[in-house]
Structures are given as structure tokens and as C-alpha cells.
Amino acid sequence: MMIGRVNPKQTLDSQGIKGASVVHYNLIEPALVQAAVARGEGTLGLGGAFLCSTGQFTGRSPKDKFVVRTPAVENTIWWENNAPMTADAYARLKADMLEHVKGGELFVEDLYAGADPVHRIDVRVITELAWHGLFMRHMLRRPAREELDSFTPEWTILNCPSFKADPAKHGCRTDTAIVLNFDEKTVLIANTAYAGENKKSVFTILNYLLPGKGVMAMHCSANHAIGNPVDAAVFFGLSGTGKTTLSASPDRTLIGDDEHGWSDRGIFNFEGGCYAKTINLSAEAEPEIYATTSRFGTVVENMVFDPETLELDFADNSLTDNTRCAYPLDAISNASDTALGGHPKHVVMLTCDAFGVLPPISRLSPAQAMYHFLSGFTSKVAGTERGITEPQPTFSTCFGAPFMPRRPEVYGKLLQEKILKTGASCWLVNTGWTGGAYGTGKRMPIKATRALLSAALDGSLDKVEFRRDPFFGFEVPVAVKGVDAALLNPRDTWADKAAFDAQAKKLVDMFSKNFAQYVPYIDEDVKAAAIG
């Protein structure tokens, strides 16, 4: 049985996916919510939000992600970071998954990835779960209903949470597998109900395809000045650095919160929605994101709620710290209608330095920007994991190593070229600790961070005096109106200056040891940028 709207020449049968008892094509949000509740996939929450659990997996499974190794991609995939799967093993896995879906019920959503029609890809998502279809309708971009009549998928994702892979037969590590085949333009996802695997698989595809066209793929948020899309900024950052919070400024228009491309035409959001963390979310700190958790159709993952009142417990992490909600971008009042912007005037790299060494803001040269982009530094703090008694550095190249199919320097050089071509200003912003390391110092005041970032974006920061940092070599403002001058020189905030010097040298050494892996692949100016 076939239900819904689809290009009659592009049914699942035409793709060789046959035998399902019922196929739902392109159901809209109310129908997907209704189906998900009727099938027992979750609970209808306050305001019509859909409350669900992702089961065993409450986050991504990066060690179970594979790329099919074929001659076409052999020399362009970063194999040290992407586990290979043979074409034969993939073929066996695909055949078994296609046999598995026979007689079952499937939900199909035909969607766009990329707000710029020149660079978007058309993606078909096939799932066993209605709420996965709802999730991906939020996360990707939705064609007009009439566009579905001629929609032709370039890429297809087949997601079967109820199928367990066989490592001996399918060449994988466990009974969970996420497999990308760039020759067949197909993604297979087995034995995980975590919806983020769908989203990040699309991001990985774009991270491979776009650089080949000279388009920079970025794990970043982005915004622009109200009424002026040309005045754009991008914000790179790993989890916990403030990427979503700082880009969602009420005095700027939000382009997107997670994934973007930078082409010769400017920047564009890959997605049509947001996937926000909800642990300790509050109406006071993030009123609009908080409001989405009681909005019709919002997907709320792994949050504990009262079974009678359905009230969400934002502080309860008993299921996972990675509680999240997914909603369309138009749920945010200051979001861009087009999800497009001009070439960034500002490239901001966010880090949470728990060592208390990095200044709250620093100006980077293009070479220094590439150095810090390839480094992708933030830090874990004591108490976050068993055995950690002092800050531990975390280096995730390009601020998103798990989603990088190409070698890091490919993205680094492309970013450096675009910065040089457009003249974008580059900034490193530390939202971590000052006055000492974690446990001794205190968190950087958010008021100071916002003031410094605003000064950078409006151009006033370029007019102040700068000094050269003796450890990292970047430029640091000496005095900024409305900001305590002591904050701008981290050494001044430490009671023990010798301890600061030792901590700074220790952090520089960590950077240097991590960066050694890129030295054979980069230019001399970037090597020089590593020296303070």
C-alpha cells in the first residue's frame, strides 16, 4: 500500500526497495505525530510536542561509522579518521537490510540539504519510525508540495533501528553500523534509534562533496546584522563553548545553529531546523529554545517527564546528559527566512579553556586562524569523567573531526583561502576560565564575552590598541570600554604569576604536540603561526 505524495517515477519499487506492506510518502507534521503516537513510538506532550526515547543509544556511535572503500574515493578519504568497509561487505549488508524491511511499514521523506539551490542535494530518508521522519522534516529543508511531483533523490538514507548487523558477515565492529557509500550515494543505518545519525550522515556527505566544488563545509552557527545579510559572521565551536548561545543574539538575525557552507556566493545553512541541547535549559536564559519544548511537533529526546502532568524535568540527566529537542528554524523569531548570508565579515572560533590561559578575545591572522581551526581546541574539566583530576585538552580538528571525510588540511586551506579572498576578520574567543584553572579560577563573565564579541562584530574593536601574546603570538586588545582591563591579560587575573607562566607553557606544548600531525601537509606561514 502507498500513502502520500511522491514522484510516480521515484517510488521505492523503482529504487529496488520492494515488499514493504505500507509505505508513507512525505507525510506532514500532524500526520507523522499522529502515526508515531498510534504506533507507540512516544508520547504526546504539552503543546503537542512529541516525547520519545532513543533506547540503548542516546548519542552517536562514531566507532561504528564506515565509508565504503572504492577506487573512486580511495585517494580522497581521510582513512585514519574514517573506518573502511569493503564493497562486498556493504553489498551483503544492504541485501540483508532490504530483505529485513519486507512486510514492514516504512516512512519516506524527500528533502533538501542546503538553502542555496546551486549547492543543495536532494535526499530521500527512509525510516522504520514515524518520528524519525518528523525529526528529519525539521532538520532538513522541506520542498513545496508541488515540488514533490518531480523530486528525484540524489542520496538515499535507509534507517532500520530494528535490524542488527552481523560483524562477521557485514564487516562491521558490532551489530550497529552507519555506512556511507559515495559510489551508490546511499547511507545504511542499522540498530540505532538515535535520530542524530541521520542528520550527521547528511553533514558528512556535504563535507565530502562541497570542498570538491570549492565550497567550504563548516560545523558552525551563523548570523547577520538585522536587515543586512551582507554583514554576516560564523561561529565555530565544539560542545559547551557557547556556539548556539552567542550566535542567537537578539540584535542579529540567525541564519542557523550548526551546519553551513561558504561558497563564492556567500554562506548558507545546510539545514531547516535546530537540534538544541535541553539539559538545564531555562526560560530565563534561553526563552525561545525553551518555548519550543512545548510547541506542536517539536521532537523531545530522552527527557524525563511527569507521567501525569507531562511536565519536563530539564535537570534530570538519568537517561543521558545529551537530552535534546528538534524543531524547525521558523520557531525562532529572529531566524532568517532564506537561511542565506553574504561572505562572513567575521570568523569567530570559540573555545572553553579550563586552563585559564587564553584571553577572552584575540585577533588572528589568516595563518593563525588555520592553525586554531586545525587544532579545534577546547577542554574537559575535572569531575566530568572518572579519573580526570585536572583540565584535559580536547582537540577535534576543524571543530568537528567525526564528520570530516577528507583530510583536515583540505578544509583548513579552503578556509584560509576564503579568509584571504574576502578579508574577513578572525577572532578566537575563550568562554572558559579566568583567574586560575578550573577549580581555582572562575568562568569568564558572559557579560564581558558579549561586550567583546559585539565590539568585534561592529568594528569598534579594530580601533583599540593591541598587544602581542607572548605564548601564542596572536593579538589581544589592551583596553575595551565596559570590560575589566585585567580580564584582557589573563596573567593579571592570577595571584601566582609563576603558576600562570607554567600553565601557559604547558598548554602551548599540548597544542604543539597535537599539531605535529599536520606539519607535513601545511605551508610555512601556518607552521610559523604556531610559534608565540
Side-chain angles (χ1 to χ4, degrees), residues 160-418:
C160 299
S162 67
F163 178 83
K164 291 185 181 293
D166 180 347
K169 184 178 182 181
H170 301 132
C172 46
R173 189 182 70 97
T174 67
D175 52 10
T176 299
I178 303 95
V179 187
L180 285 77
N181 188 322
F182 285 97
D183 285 15
E184 288 196 9
K185 297 184 177 180
T186 300
V187 180
L188 303 178
I189 303 176
N191 192 46
T192 172
Y194 183 67
E197 297 287 10
N198 299 286
K199 162 188 158 72
K200 288 305 185 184
S201 292
V202 175
F203 187 37
T204 304
I205 293 165
L206 291 168
N207 278 335
Y208 182 78
L209 298 178
L210 293 180
K213 301 166 62 178
V215 178
M216 179 65 188
M218 305 179 291
H219 187 210
C220 70
S221 57
N223 64 24
H224 66 70
I226 294 175
N228 185 12
V230 175
D231 186 1
V234 296
F235 303 79
F236 292 98
L238 296 166
S239 179
T241 58
K243 178 162 57 83
T244 298
T245 299
L246 292 173
S247 64
S249 173
D251 59 354
R252 291 177 69 86
T253 297
L254 179 68
I255 298 173
D257 80 329
D258 196 40
E259 302 171 6
H260 295 80
W262 185 355
S263 72
D264 290 339
R265 295 152 53 94
I267 57 175
F268 59 98
N269 194 350
F270 290 164
E271 301 184 307
C274 301
Y275 192 29
K277 287 188 175 181
T278 57
I279 192 70
N280 296 321
L281 183 67
S282 71
E284 294 74 27
E286 301 284 355
E288 291 205 288
I289 297 175
Y290 184 90
T292 68
T293 61
S294 58
R295 180 185 188 275
F296 179 80
T298 292
V299 175
V300 178
E301 286 183 344
N302 299 316
M303 286 192 69
V304 174
F305 58 92
D306 187 294
E308 294 182 7
T309 67
L310 300 177
E311 292 182 0
L312 299 170
D313 189 336
F314 291 88
D316 193 328
N317 65 348
S318 58
L319 295 179
T320 177
D321 285 317
N322 192 35
T323 57
R324 288 182 179 266
C325 63
Y327 51 88
L329 199 60
D330 60 17
I332 303 301
S333 61
N334 67 329
S336 167
D337 292 332
T338 65
L340 302 172
H343 295 292
K345 289 188 175 181
H346 301 276
V347 173
V348 180
M349 299 182 189
L350 302 169
T351 183
C352 176
D353 172 27
F355 296 84
V357 168
L358 295 176
I361 194 166
S362 310
R363 186 166 60 187
L364 308 176
S365 69
Q368 289 170 334
M370 183 175 174
Y371 175 77
H372 285 277
F373 180 70
L374 289 176
S375 297
F377 167 73
T378 193
S379 47
K380 296 177 183 178
V381 297
T384 59
E385 292 182 10
R386 186 180 300 171
I388 295 179
T389 57
E390 62 179 32
Q392 296 291 322
T394 298
F395 294 95
S396 183
T397 188
C398 307
F399 296 97
F403 324 118
M404 303 291 117
R406 296 179 183 266
R407 281 205 56 86
E409 60 272 8
V410 172
Y411 306 99
K413 289 179 180 178
L414 192 52
L415 179 64
Q416 187 180 17
E417 289 169 4
K418 291 192 175 295

